[in-house]
Coordinates of all heavy atoms in Angstrom, one line a residue:
P1 N -11.0 -20.5 -20.3 CA -10.1 -19.4 -20.6 C -9.1 -19.2 -19.4 O -9.5 -19.4 -18.3 CB -11.0 -18.2 -20.8 CG -12.4 -18.7 -20.8 CD -12.4 -20.1 -20.3
Q2 N -7.9 -18.8 -19.8 CA -6.9 -18.5 -18.8 C -7.0 -17.1 -18.2 O -7.3 -16.2 -18.9 CB -5.5 -18.7 -19.5 CG -4.3 -18.6 -18.6 CD -3.1 -18.9 -19.3 OE1 -3.1 -19.6 -20.3 NE2 -2.0 -18.4 -18.9
A3 N -6.6 -17.0 -17.0 CA -6.6 -15.6 -16.3 C -5.4 -14.8 -16.9 O -4.3 -15.3 -17.1 CB -6.4 -15.8 -14.8
E4 N -5.7 -13.6 -17.3 CA -4.7 -12.7 -17.8 C -4.8 -11.3 -17.1 O -5.9 -10.9 -16.8 CB -4.9 -12.5 -19.3 CG -4.6 -13.7 -20.1 CD -4.7 -13.5 -21.6 OE1 -5.8 -13.2 -22.1 OE2 -3.7 -13.5 -22.3
L5 N -3.7 -10.7 -16.9 CA -3.7 -9.4 -16.3 C -3.7 -8.3 -17.4 O -2.9 -8.3 -18.2 CB -2.4 -9.2 -15.5 CG -2.2 -8.0 -14.6 CD1 -3.3 -7.7 -13.7 CD2 -0.9 -8.1 -13.9
E6 N -4.8 -7.5 -17.4 CA -5.1 -6.7 -18.5 C -5.6 -5.3 -18.1 O -6.0 -5.1 -16.9 CB -6.2 -7.3 -19.4 CG -7.5 -7.5 -18.7 CD -8.6 -8.3 -19.4 OE1 -8.2 -8.9 -20.4 OE2 -9.7 -8.2 -19.0
S7 N -5.6 -4.3 -19.0 CA -6.2 -3.0 -18.8 C -6.8 -2.6 -20.1 O -6.4 -3.2 -21.2 CB -5.2 -2.0 -18.3 OG -4.3 -1.7 -19.3
H8 N -7.7 -1.7 -20.1 CA -8.4 -1.2 -21.3 C -8.3 0.3 -21.4 O -8.2 1.0 -20.3 CB -9.9 -1.7 -21.3 CG -10.0 -3.1 -21.0 ND1 -9.7 -4.1 -21.9 CD2 -10.4 -3.8 -19.9 CE1 -9.9 -5.3 -21.4 NE2 -10.3 -5.1 -20.2
R9 N -8.5 0.9 -22.5 CA -8.4 2.4 -22.7 C -9.8 2.9 -23.1 O -10.1 4.0 -22.7 CB -7.4 2.8 -23.7 CG -6.0 2.6 -23.2 CD -5.0 3.1 -24.2 NE -3.6 2.8 -23.8 CZ -2.6 2.9 -24.5 NH1 -2.7 3.5 -25.7 NH2 -1.4 2.5 -24.1
R10 N -10.5 2.2 -24.0 CA -11.7 2.8 -24.6 C -12.9 2.5 -23.8 O -13.9 3.2 -23.9 CB -11.9 2.2 -26.0 CG -11.2 3.0 -27.1 CD -11.7 2.7 -28.5 NE -12.2 1.4 -28.7 CZ -11.5 0.4 -29.3 NH1 -10.3 0.6 -29.7 NH2 -12.0 -0.8 -29.5
Y11 N -12.9 1.5 -22.9 CA -14.1 1.0 -22.2 C -13.8 0.9 -20.7 O -12.7 0.5 -20.3 CB -14.6 -0.3 -22.7 CG -15.1 -0.3 -24.1 CD1 -14.3 -0.5 -25.2 CD2 -16.5 0.0 -24.3 CE1 -14.8 -0.4 -26.5 CE2 -17.0 0.0 -25.6 CZ -16.2 -0.2 -26.6 OH -16.7 -0.2 -27.9
L12 N -14.7 1.3 -19.9 CA -14.7 0.9 -18.5 C -15.3 -0.5 -18.4 O -16.2 -0.9 -19.2 CB -15.7 1.8 -17.7 CG -15.3 3.3 -17.5 CD1 -16.4 4.0 -16.8 CD2 -14.0 3.4 -16.7
D13 N -14.7 -1.4 -17.6 CA -15.3 -2.7 -17.4 C -16.0 -2.7 -16.0 O -15.5 -2.3 -15.0 CB -14.1 -3.7 -17.2 CG -13.7 -4.4 -18.5 OD1 -14.2 -4.0 -19.6 OD2 -12.9 -5.3 -18.5
I14 N -17.2 -3.3 -16.0 CA -17.9 -3.6 -14.8 C -18.1 -5.1 -14.7 O -18.7 -5.7 -15.6 CB -19.3 -2.9 -14.8 CG1 -19.1 -1.4 -14.9 CG2 -20.0 -3.2 -13.5 CD1 -20.4 -0.6 -15.1
H15 N -17.5 -5.7 -13.7 CA -17.6 -7.2 -13.5 C -18.6 -7.4 -12.3 O -18.5 -6.8 -11.3 CB -16.2 -7.7 -13.1 CG -15.2 -7.7 -14.2 ND1 -14.7 -8.8 -14.7 CD2 -14.7 -6.7 -14.9 CE1 -13.8 -8.5 -15.7 NE2 -13.8 -7.2 -15.8
T16 N -19.4 -8.4 -12.5 CA -20.3 -8.9 -11.4 C -20.4 -10.4 -11.5 O -20.5 -11.0 -12.6 CB -21.6 -8.2 -11.4 OG1 -22.4 -8.6 -10.2 CG2 -22.5 -8.5 -12.6
S17 N -20.4 -11.1 -10.4 CA -20.6 -12.5 -10.3 C -22.1 -12.8 -10.1 O -22.8 -12.1 -9.4 CB -19.8 -13.1 -9.1 OG -20.0 -14.5 -9.1
I18 N -22.6 -13.8 -10.8 CA -24.0 -14.1 -10.8 C -24.2 -15.4 -10.0 O -25.1 -15.6 -9.1 CB -24.6 -14.3 -12.2 CG1 -24.5 -12.9 -12.9 CG2 -26.1 -14.7 -12.1 CD1 -24.8 -12.9 -14.4
V19 N -23.3 -16.4 -10.3 CA -23.4 -17.7 -9.6 C -22.0 -18.0 -9.1 O -21.0 -18.0 -9.9 CB -23.9 -18.8 -10.5 CG1 -23.8 -20.2 -9.8 CG2 -25.3 -18.5 -11.0
N20 N -21.8 -18.3 -7.8 CA -20.5 -18.7 -7.2 C -19.6 -17.4 -7.1 O -20.0 -16.3 -7.5 CB -19.8 -19.9 -7.9 CG -20.6 -21.1 -7.6 OD1 -21.2 -21.3 -6.5 ND2 -20.6 -22.0 -8.6
T21 N -18.4 -17.6 -6.6 CA -17.5 -16.6 -6.3 C -16.2 -16.6 -7.1 O -15.6 -17.6 -7.3 CB -17.1 -16.6 -4.8 OG1 -18.3 -16.6 -4.0 CG2 -16.3 -15.5 -4.3
E22 N -15.8 -15.4 -7.6 CA -14.6 -15.3 -8.4 C -13.7 -14.3 -7.7 O -14.1 -13.4 -7.0 CB -15.0 -14.7 -9.7 CG -13.8 -14.3 -10.6 CD -14.2 -13.5 -11.8 OE1 -15.0 -12.6 -11.7 OE2 -13.6 -13.8 -12.9
R23 N -12.4 -14.5 -7.8 CA -11.4 -13.6 -7.3 C -10.8 -12.8 -8.5 O -10.6 -13.3 -9.5 CB -10.3 -14.3 -6.6 CG -9.3 -13.4 -5.9 CD -8.2 -14.1 -5.2 NE -7.0 -13.9 -6.0 CZ -6.0 -14.8 -6.1 NH1 -6.1 -16.0 -5.4 NH2 -5.0 -14.5 -6.8
I24 N -10.7 -11.5 -8.2 CA -10.1 -10.6 -9.2 C -8.9 -9.9 -8.5 O -9.1 -9.2 -7.5 CB -11.0 -9.5 -9.8 CG1 -12.2 -10.2 -10.5 CG2 -10.3 -8.6 -10.8 CD1 -13.3 -9.3 -11.0
D25 N -7.7 -10.0 -9.0 CA -6.6 -9.2 -8.5 C -6.5 -7.9 -9.2 O -6.7 -7.8 -10.5 CB -5.3 -10.0 -8.7 CG -5.1 -11.2 -7.7 OD1 -6.1 -11.4 -6.9 OD2 -4.1 -11.9 -7.8
W26 N -6.2 -6.8 -8.5 CA -6.1 -5.5 -9.1 C -4.7 -4.9 -8.8 O -4.1 -5.2 -7.8 CB -7.1 -4.6 -8.4 CG -7.0 -3.1 -8.8 CD1 -7.5 -2.5 -9.9 CD2 -6.1 -2.2 -8.1 NE1 -7.1 -1.2 -9.9 CE2 -6.2 -1.0 -8.9 CE3 -5.3 -2.2 -7.0 CZ2 -5.6 0.2 -8.5 CZ3 -4.6 -1.0 -6.7 CH2 -4.8 0.1 -7.4
Y27 N -4.2 -4.1 -9.8 CA -2.9 -3.4 -9.7 C -3.1 -2.1 -10.4 O -3.8 -2.0 -11.4 CB -1.8 -4.2 -10.4 CG -1.6 -5.6 -10.0 CD1 -2.4 -6.6 -10.5 CD2 -0.5 -5.9 -9.2 CE1 -2.2 -8.0 -10.2 CE2 -0.3 -7.3 -8.9 CZ -1.1 -8.3 -9.3 OH -0.8 -9.6 -9.0
P28 N -2.3 -1.1 -9.9 CA -2.2 0.1 -10.8 C -1.4 -0.2 -12.0 O -0.3 -0.7 -11.9 CB -1.5 1.1 -9.9 CG -0.9 0.4 -8.7 CD -1.6 -1.0 -8.7
A29 N -1.9 0.0 -13.2 CA -1.3 -0.4 -14.4 C 0.1 0.2 -14.6 O 1.0 -0.5 -15.1 CB -2.2 0.0 -15.6
A30 N 0.3 1.4 -14.1 CA 1.6 2.1 -14.3 C 2.7 1.4 -13.5 O 3.9 1.6 -13.8 CB 1.5 3.5 -13.9
S31 N 2.4 0.5 -12.5 CA 3.4 -0.1 -11.7 C 3.8 -1.5 -12.3 O 4.7 -2.1 -11.7 CB 2.8 -0.3 -10.3 OG 1.8 -1.4 -10.3
L32 N 3.3 -1.9 -13.4 CA 3.5 -3.2 -14.0 C 4.4 -3.2 -15.2 O 4.6 -2.2 -15.9 CB 2.2 -3.9 -14.3 CG 1.2 -4.1 -13.2 CD1 -0.2 -4.5 -13.7 CD2 1.7 -5.1 -12.2
T33 N 5.0 -4.4 -15.5 CA 5.8 -4.6 -16.7 C 4.8 -5.1 -17.8 O 4.1 -6.0 -17.6 CB 6.8 -5.7 -16.4 OG1 7.7 -5.2 -15.4 CG2 7.7 -5.9 -17.7
V34 N 4.9 -4.3 -18.9 CA 4.0 -4.7 -20.1 C 4.6 -5.9 -20.8 O 5.8 -6.0 -21.1 CB 3.9 -3.5 -21.1 CG1 3.2 -3.9 -22.3 CG2 3.3 -2.3 -20.4
V35 N 3.7 -6.9 -21.0 CA 4.1 -8.1 -21.7 C 3.6 -8.0 -23.2 O 4.3 -8.4 -24.1 CB 3.4 -9.4 -21.1 CG1 3.6 -10.6 -21.9 CG2 4.0 -9.6 -19.7
S36 N 2.4 -7.4 -23.4 CA 1.9 -7.2 -24.7 C 1.3 -5.8 -24.7 O 0.4 -5.5 -24.0 CB 0.8 -8.2 -24.9 OG 0.5 -8.4 -26.3
P37 N 1.9 -4.9 -25.5 CA 1.5 -3.5 -25.6 C 0.1 -3.3 -26.0 O -0.5 -4.2 -26.6 CB 2.4 -2.8 -26.6 CG 3.4 -3.8 -27.0 CD 3.0 -5.2 -26.5
Y38 N -0.5 -2.2 -25.7 CA -1.9 -1.9 -26.0 C -2.2 -2.2 -27.5 O -1.5 -1.7 -28.4 CB -2.2 -0.4 -25.7 CG -3.7 -0.1 -26.0 CD1 -4.7 -0.5 -25.2 CD2 -4.0 0.7 -27.1 CE1 -6.0 -0.2 -25.5 CE2 -5.3 1.0 -27.4 CZ -6.3 0.5 -26.6 OH -7.6 0.8 -26.9
D39 N -3.2 -3.0 -27.7 CA -3.7 -3.3 -29.0 C -5.1 -2.6 -29.2 O -6.0 -3.0 -28.4 CB -3.9 -4.8 -29.2 CG -4.4 -5.3 -30.5 OD1 -5.4 -4.7 -31.0 OD2 -3.8 -6.2 -31.0
E40 N -5.2 -1.7 -30.1 CA -6.4 -0.9 -30.2 C -7.6 -1.8 -30.6 O -8.7 -1.6 -30.2 CB -6.2 0.2 -31.3 CG -7.4 1.2 -31.3 CD -7.1 2.4 -32.1 OE1 -5.9 2.8 -32.2 OE2 -8.0 2.9 -32.7
K41 N -7.4 -2.8 -31.5 CA -8.4 -3.7 -31.9 C -9.0 -4.5 -30.8 O -10.3 -4.6 -30.7 CB -7.9 -4.6 -33.0 CG -9.0 -5.4 -33.7 CD -8.4 -6.3 -34.8 CE -9.4 -7.1 -35.5 NZ -8.9 -7.8 -36.6
Q42 N -8.2 -5.0 -29.9 CA -8.7 -5.7 -28.7 C -9.0 -4.8 -27.5 O -9.6 -5.2 -26.6 CB -7.6 -6.6 -28.2 CG -7.3 -7.9 -29.0 CD -6.4 -8.8 -28.2 OE1 -5.3 -8.4 -27.8 NE2 -6.8 -10.0 -28.1
D43 N -8.6 -3.5 -27.6 CA -8.8 -2.6 -26.5 C -8.2 -3.2 -25.2 O -8.8 -3.2 -24.2 CB -10.2 -2.1 -26.2 CG -10.3 -1.1 -25.1 OD1 -9.4 -0.2 -25.1 OD2 -11.2 -1.1 -24.3
A44 N -6.9 -3.7 -25.3 CA -6.3 -4.3 -24.2 C -4.8 -4.2 -24.3 O -4.2 -4.3 -25.3 CB -6.7 -5.8 -24.1
A45 N -4.2 -4.1 -23.1 CA -2.8 -4.3 -22.9 C -2.7 -5.4 -21.8 O -3.5 -5.5 -21.0 CB -2.1 -3.0 -22.4
F46 N -1.6 -6.2 -21.9 CA -1.4 -7.3 -21.0 C -0.1 -7.1 -20.2 O 0.9 -6.6 -20.8 CB -1.4 -8.6 -21.7 CG -2.8 -8.9 -22.4 CD1 -3.0 -8.5 -23.7 CD2 -3.8 -9.4 -21.7 CE1 -4.2 -8.7 -24.3 CE2 -5.1 -9.6 -22.2 CZ -5.3 -9.3 -23.6
Y47 N -0.1 -7.6 -19.0 CA 1.0 -7.3 -18.1 C 1.5 -8.6 -17.4 O 0.8 -9.6 -17.3 CB 0.6 -6.3 -17.0 CG 0.0 -5.0 -17.5 CD1 -1.3 -4.9 -17.8 CD2 0.8 -3.9 -17.7 CE1 -1.9 -3.8 -18.3 CE2 0.3 -2.8 -18.2 CZ -1.1 -2.7 -18.5 OH -1.6 -1.5 -19.0
Q48 N 2.7 -8.5 -16.9 CA 3.3 -9.6 -16.1 C 2.8 -9.5 -14.7 O 2.8 -8.4 -14.1 CB 4.8 -9.4 -16.1 CG 5.5 -10.5 -15.4 CD 7.1 -10.4 -15.4 OE1 7.6 -9.6 -16.2 NE2 7.8 -11.1 -14.6
K49 N 2.3 -10.6 -14.2 CA 1.7 -10.6 -12.8 C 2.9 -10.5 -11.8 O 3.9 -11.1 -12.0 CB 0.9 -11.9 -12.6 CG 0.3 -11.9 -11.3 CD -0.5 -13.2 -11.1 CE -1.0 -13.1 -9.6 NZ -2.0 -13.9 -9.1
R50 N 2.6 -9.9 -10.7 CA 3.6 -9.8 -9.7 C 2.9 -10.0 -8.3 O 1.7 -9.8 -8.3 CB 4.5 -8.6 -9.7 CG 3.7 -7.3 -9.4 CD 4.6 -6.1 -9.3 NE 3.9 -4.9 -9.3 CZ 3.3 -4.3 -8.3 NH1 3.2 -5.0 -7.2 NH2 2.7 -3.2 -8.4
E51 N 3.6 -10.4 -7.3 CA 3.0 -10.5 -6.0 C 3.6 -9.5 -5.1 O 4.7 -9.1 -5.2 CB 3.3 -11.9 -5.4 CG 2.7 -13.1 -6.3 CD 1.2 -13.2 -6.3 OE1 0.6 -12.6 -5.4 OE2 0.7 -13.8 -7.2
P52 N 2.8 -9.0 -4.1 CA 1.4 -9.2 -4.0 C 0.6 -8.3 -4.8 O 1.1 -7.3 -5.3 CB 1.2 -8.9 -2.5 CG 2.2 -7.8 -2.2 CD 3.4 -8.1 -3.1
A53 N -0.7 -8.7 -5.0 CA -1.6 -7.8 -5.8 C -1.8 -6.5 -5.0 O -1.7 -6.5 -3.7 CB -2.9 -8.5 -6.0
G54 N -2.2 -5.5 -5.7 CA -2.5 -4.2 -5.0 C -3.7 -4.4 -4.2 O -3.9 -3.8 -3.1
A55 N -4.7 -5.1 -4.7 CA -5.9 -5.5 -3.9 C -6.4 -6.8 -4.5 O -6.3 -7.1 -5.6 CB -7.0 -4.4 -4.1
I56 N -7.1 -7.5 -3.6 CA -7.7 -8.8 -4.0 C -9.2 -8.6 -3.7 O -9.6 -8.4 -2.6 CB -7.2 -10.0 -3.2 CG1 -5.7 -10.2 -3.5 CG2 -8.0 -11.3 -3.4 CD1 -5.0 -11.2 -2.6
L57 N -10.0 -8.8 -4.8 CA -11.4 -8.6 -4.7 C -12.1 -10.0 -4.8 O -11.8 -10.8 -5.7 CB -11.9 -7.8 -5.9 CG -11.2 -6.4 -6.1 CD1 -11.7 -5.8 -7.4 CD2 -11.5 -5.5 -4.9
V58 N -12.9 -10.3 -3.8 CA -13.6 -11.5 -3.7 C -15.1 -11.2 -4.2 O -15.8 -10.6 -3.4 CB -13.6 -12.2 -2.3 CG1 -14.4 -13.4 -2.3 CG2 -12.2 -12.4 -1.9
M59 N -15.4 -11.6 -5.4 CA -16.6 -11.2 -6.1 C -17.7 -12.2 -5.8 O -17.8 -13.2 -6.6 CB -16.4 -11.0 -7.6 CG -15.3 -9.9 -7.9 SD -15.7 -8.3 -7.3 CE -17.1 -7.9 -8.2
K60 N -18.5 -12.0 -4.8 CA -19.6 -12.8 -4.5 C -20.8 -12.3 -5.3 O -20.9 -11.1 -5.6 CB -19.9 -12.8 -3.0 CG -18.8 -13.3 -2.1 CD -19.2 -13.3 -0.7 CE -18.0 -13.9 0.1 NZ -18.3 -13.9 1.5
P61 N -21.8 -13.1 -5.5 CA -23.0 -12.6 -6.2 C -23.6 -11.4 -5.5 O -23.7 -11.3 -4.3 CB -24.0 -13.8 -6.2 CG -23.0 -15.0 -6.2 CD -21.9 -14.6 -5.3
G62 N -23.9 -10.4 -6.3 CA -24.5 -9.2 -5.8 C -23.5 -8.0 -5.7 O -23.9 -6.9 -5.6
L63 N -22.2 -8.3 -5.8 CA -21.2 -7.3 -5.8 C -20.7 -7.0 -7.2 O -20.9 -7.8 -8.1 CB -19.9 -7.8 -5.0 CG -20.2 -8.1 -3.5 CD1 -18.9 -8.7 -2.9 CD2 -20.6 -6.9 -2.7
F64 N -20.2 -5.8 -7.4 CA -19.6 -5.4 -8.7 C -18.4 -4.6 -8.5 O -18.2 -4.0 -7.4 CB -20.6 -4.7 -9.6 CG -20.9 -3.3 -9.1 CD1 -20.2 -2.2 -9.6 CD2 -21.9 -3.0 -8.2 CE1 -20.4 -0.9 -9.2 CE2 -22.2 -1.7 -7.8 CZ -21.4 -0.7 -8.3
A65 N -17.5 -4.6 -9.5 CA -16.3 -3.9 -9.5 C -16.2 -3.1 -10.8 O -16.5 -3.7 -11.9 CB -15.1 -4.8 -9.3
L66 N -15.7 -1.9 -10.8 CA -15.6 -1.1 -12.0 C -14.1 -0.8 -12.2 O -13.4 -0.4 -11.2 CB -16.3 0.3 -11.8 CG -16.2 1.2 -13.0 CD1 -17.5 1.6 -13.5 CD2 -15.4 2.4 -12.6
F67 N -13.6 -1.1 -13.4 CA -12.2 -0.9 -13.7 C -12.0 0.1 -14.8 O -12.6 -0.1 -15.9 CB -11.5 -2.2 -14.1 CG -11.6 -3.3 -13.1 CD1 -12.5 -4.3 -13.1 CD2 -10.8 -3.3 -12.0 CE1 -12.6 -5.3 -12.2 CE2 -10.9 -4.2 -11.0 CZ -11.8 -5.2 -11.1
G68 N -11.2 1.1 -14.6 CA -10.9 2.2 -15.6 C -9.6 1.9 -16.3 O -8.9 0.9 -16.1
P69 N -9.2 2.9 -17.1 CA -8.0 2.8 -17.9 C -6.7 2.6 -17.1 O -5.7 2.0 -17.6 CB -7.9 4.0 -18.7 CG -9.3 4.5 -18.8 CD -9.9 4.1 -17.5
H70 N -6.7 3.0 -15.9 CA -5.5 2.9 -15.0 C -5.5 1.7 -14.1 O -4.6 1.5 -13.3 CB -5.3 4.2 -14.2 CG -5.2 5.4 -15.0 ND1 -4.1 5.7 -15.8 CD2 -6.1 6.4 -15.3 CE1 -4.4 6.9 -16.5 NE2 -5.6 7.3 -16.2
D71 N -6.5 0.9 -14.2 CA -6.7 -0.3 -13.4 C -6.4 -1.5 -14.2 O -7.1 -1.9 -15.1 CB -8.2 -0.4 -12.9 CG -8.6 0.8 -12.1 OD1 -7.8 1.2 -11.2 OD2 -9.7 1.3 -12.4
A72 N -5.3 -2.2 -13.8 CA -5.0 -3.5 -14.4 C -5.7 -4.5 -13.5 O -5.7 -4.4 -12.3 CB -3.5 -3.8 -14.4
H73 N -6.4 -5.5 -14.2 CA -7.1 -6.4 -13.4 C -7.0 -7.8 -14.0 O -6.8 -8.0 -15.2 CB -8.6 -6.0 -13.3 CG -9.2 -5.8 -14.6 ND1 -9.0 -4.7 -15.4 CD2 -10.1 -6.5 -15.4 CE1 -9.6 -4.7 -16.5 NE2 -10.4 -5.8 -16.5
M74 N -7.0 -8.8 -13.1 CA -6.9 -10.2 -13.5 C -8.1 -11.0 -13.0 O -8.1 -11.4 -11.8 CB -5.6 -10.8 -12.9 CG -5.4 -12.3 -13.3 SD -3.8 -12.9 -12.7 CE -2.8 -12.9 -14.2
P75 N -9.1 -11.2 -13.8 CA -10.3 -11.9 -13.4 C -10.0 -13.4 -13.6 O -8.9 -13.8 -14.0 CB -11.4 -11.4 -14.3 CG -10.7 -10.9 -15.5 CD -9.3 -10.5 -15.1
R76 N -11.0 -14.3 -13.3 CA -11.0 -15.7 -13.5 C -10.1 -16.4 -12.6 O -9.5 -17.5 -12.9 CB -10.6 -16.1 -15.0 CG -11.5 -15.5 -16.0 CD -11.1 -16.1 -17.4 NE -11.8 -15.3 -18.4 CZ -11.2 -14.6 -19.3 NH1 -9.9 -14.5 -19.3 NH2 -11.9 -13.9 -20.2
L77 N -9.9 -15.9 -11.4 CA -9.1 -16.6 -10.4 C -10.0 -17.3 -9.4 O -11.1 -16.8 -9.1 CB -8.2 -15.6 -9.6 CG -7.2 -14.8 -10.5 CD1 -6.5 -13.7 -9.8 CD2 -6.2 -15.8 -11.1
H78 N -9.5 -18.4 -8.8 CA -10.3 -19.1 -7.8 C -10.4 -18.4 -6.5 O -9.3 -18.1 -5.9 CB -9.8 -20.5 -7.7 CG -9.7 -21.3 -8.9 ND1 -10.7 -21.6 -9.7 CD2 -8.6 -21.8 -9.6 CE1 -10.4 -22.2 -10.8 NE2 -9.0 -22.4 -10.7
A79 N -11.6 -18.2 -6.0 CA -11.7 -17.4 -4.7 C -11.6 -18.4 -3.5 O -11.1 -18.0 -2.5 CB -13.0 -16.7 -4.7
A80 N -12.1 -19.6 -3.7 CA -12.1 -20.5 -2.5 C -10.9 -21.4 -2.5 O -10.9 -22.4 -1.7 CB -13.4 -21.3 -2.6
G81 N -9.9 -21.2 -3.4 CA -8.8 -22.1 -3.4 C -9.0 -23.4 -4.2 O -8.1 -24.2 -4.2
K82 N -10.2 -23.5 -4.7 CA -10.5 -24.7 -5.5 C -11.3 -24.2 -6.8 O -12.0 -23.3 -6.7 CB -11.3 -25.7 -4.7 CG -12.6 -25.2 -4.3 CD -13.4 -26.3 -3.5 CE -14.6 -25.8 -2.8 NZ -15.6 -25.2 -3.6
P83 N -11.1 -25.0 -7.9 CA -11.9 -24.6 -9.1 C -13.4 -24.7 -8.8 O -13.9 -25.6 -8.1 CB -11.5 -25.7 -10.1 CG -10.2 -26.2 -9.6 CD -10.2 -26.1 -8.1
E84 N -14.1 -23.7 -9.4 CA -15.5 -23.7 -9.2 C -16.1 -23.0 -10.5 O -15.5 -22.1 -11.0 CB -15.8 -22.8 -8.0 CG -17.2 -22.6 -7.6 CD -17.3 -21.8 -6.2 OE1 -16.8 -20.7 -6.1 OE2 -17.9 -22.4 -5.3
V85 N -17.2 -23.5 -10.9 CA -17.9 -22.9 -12.1 C -18.5 -21.6 -11.7 O -19.3 -21.5 -10.7 CB -19.0 -23.9 -12.6 CG1 -19.8 -23.2 -13.8 CG2 -18.4 -25.2 -13.2
V86 N -18.1 -20.5 -12.3 CA -18.6 -19.2 -12.0 C -19.3 -18.7 -13.2 O -18.9 -18.8 -14.4 CB -17.4 -18.3 -11.7 CG1 -17.9 -16.8 -11.5 CG2 -16.7 -18.7 -10.5
K87 N -20.5 -18.2 -13.0 CA -21.3 -17.4 -14.0 C -21.2 -16.0 -13.7 O -21.4 -15.6 -12.5 CB -22.7 -17.9 -14.1 CG -22.8 -19.3 -14.6 CD -24.2 -19.6 -15.0 CE -24.3 -21.1 -15.4 NZ -24.3 -21.3 -16.8
K88 N -20.8 -15.2 -14.6 CA -20.6 -13.7 -14.3 C -21.0 -12.9 -15.5 O -21.3 -13.5 -16.6 CB -19.1 -13.5 -14.0 CG -18.2 -13.7 -15.2 CD -16.7 -13.4 -14.8 CE -16.5 -11.9 -14.7 NZ -15.1 -11.6 -14.5
A89 N -21.1 -11.6 -15.3 CA -21.4 -10.7 -16.4 C -20.3 -9.6 -16.4 O -19.9 -9.2 -15.3 CB -22.8 -10.1 -16.2
V90 N -19.9 -9.2 -17.6 CA -19.0 -8.1 -17.8 C -19.7 -7.1 -18.7 O -20.1 -7.4 -19.8 CB -17.7 -8.5 -18.4 CG1 -16.7 -7.3 -18.6 CG2 -17.0 -9.5 -17.5
M91 N -19.9 -5.9 -18.2 CA -20.5 -4.8 -19.0 C -19.4 -3.8 -19.3 O -18.5 -3.5 -18.5 CB -21.6 -4.1 -18.2 CG -22.8 -5.0 -18.0 SD -23.6 -5.0 -16.4 CE -22.3 -5.8 -15.4
K92 N -19.5 -3.3 -20.5 CA -18.4 -2.3 -21.0 C -19.1 -1.0 -21.3 O -20.2 -1.0 -22.0 CB -17.7 -2.9 -22.2 CG -16.9 -4.1 -21.9 CD -16.0 -4.5 -23.0 CE -15.1 -5.6 -22.6 NZ -13.9 -5.2 -21.9
I93 N -18.5 0.1 -20.8 CA -19.1 1.4 -21.1 C -18.0 2.2 -21.8 O -16.9 2.4 -21.3 CB -19.4 2.1 -19.7 CG1 -20.4 1.3 -19.0 CG2 -19.9 3.6 -20.0 CD1 -20.7 1.9 -17.6
R94 N -18.4 2.6 -23.0 CA -17.4 3.3 -23.9 C -17.1 4.7 -23.3 O -18.1 5.4 -22.9 CB -18.0 3.5 -25.3 CG -17.0 4.0 -26.2 CD -17.3 3.7 -27.6 NE -16.3 4.3 -28.4 CZ -15.8 3.9 -29.6 NH1 -16.3 2.7 -30.0 NH2 -14.9 4.5 -30.2
L95 N -15.9 5.0 -23.1 CA -15.5 6.3 -22.5 C -15.7 7.5 -23.3 O -16.0 8.6 -22.8 CB -14.0 6.2 -22.1 CG -13.7 5.3 -20.9 CD1 -12.2 5.1 -20.8 CD2 -14.3 5.9 -19.6
D96 N -15.6 7.4 -24.6 CA -15.8 8.6 -25.5 C -17.2 8.7 -26.1 O -17.4 9.4 -27.0 CB -14.8 8.6 -26.6 CG -15.0 7.4 -27.6 OD1 -15.8 6.6 -27.3 OD2 -14.2 7.4 -28.6
M97 N -18.2 8.1 -25.4 CA -19.6 8.1 -25.9 C -20.2 9.6 -25.7 O -20.0 10.1 -24.6 CB -20.4 7.1 -25.1 CG -21.6 6.6 -25.9 SD -22.2 5.1 -25.1 CE -22.8 5.7 -23.6
P98 N -20.8 10.1 -26.7 CA -21.4 11.5 -26.5 C -22.5 11.4 -25.6 O -23.3 10.4 -25.5 CB -21.8 11.9 -27.9 CG -21.8 10.6 -28.7 CD -20.9 9.6 -28.0
L99 N -22.7 12.5 -24.8 CA -23.8 12.6 -23.9 C -25.1 12.9 -24.5 O -25.3 13.5 -25.5 CB -23.6 13.6 -22.8 CG -22.3 13.2 -21.9 CD1 -22.0 14.3 -20.9 CD2 -22.6 11.9 -21.2

């Protein structure tokens, strides 16, 4: 799969690497140009990437990152400058879930 710069509205995303290291670029969503407007079915909006990233996260096994509705994030980037097989988990937490 190709890396895409995205944000979500209904779910928080929690990313963690299990095997090898992945890079995730982060941006404030409001600062980006929308390429594909929010699609409720996909729960995603997609953006045009720009440089530099607001933050670069190097996701080694044991670390996790949480992304909310205002966080645009681009996972699936090479952390070591070379392609590497990464096994990871993404957990989604529904924001409007009743307590």
Side-chain angles (χ1 to χ4, degrees):
Q2 184 176 334
E4 294 184 290
L5 184 53
E6 63 187 14
S7 69
H8 311 287
R9 291 186 188 169
R10 277 199 323 262
Y11 292 89
L12 293 173
D13 267 10
I14 301 172
H15 291 242
T16 187
S17 181
I18 299 166
V19 175
N20 291 328
T21 303
E22 172 190 41
R23 187 180 105 211
I24 301 175
D25 286 358
W26 172 90
Y27 303 81
S31 72
L32 298 170
T33 301
V34 174
V35 171
S36 198
Y38 179 75
D39 179 316
E40 192 171 328
K41 188 174 180 179
Q42 284 188 310
D43 185 40
F46 296 95
Y47 304 89
Q48 182 177 347
K49 183 179 176 165
R50 65 174 168 76
E51 299 293 341
I56 295 172
L57 308 172
V58 178
M59 302 299 298
K60 296 179 180 182
L63 300 176
F64 70 90
L66 179 125
F67 300 103
H70 302 289
D71 300 313
H73 53 288
M74 180 180 256
R76 299 187 194 114
L77 299 171
H78 303 300
K82 61 180 172 57
E84 181 171 61
V85 174
V86 174
K87 292 194 184 259
K88 66 180 286 184
V90 177
M91 289 134 296
K92 295 191 172 275
I93 300 172
R94 190 161 176 145
L95 289 167
D96 64 352
M97 210 164 64
L99 297 175

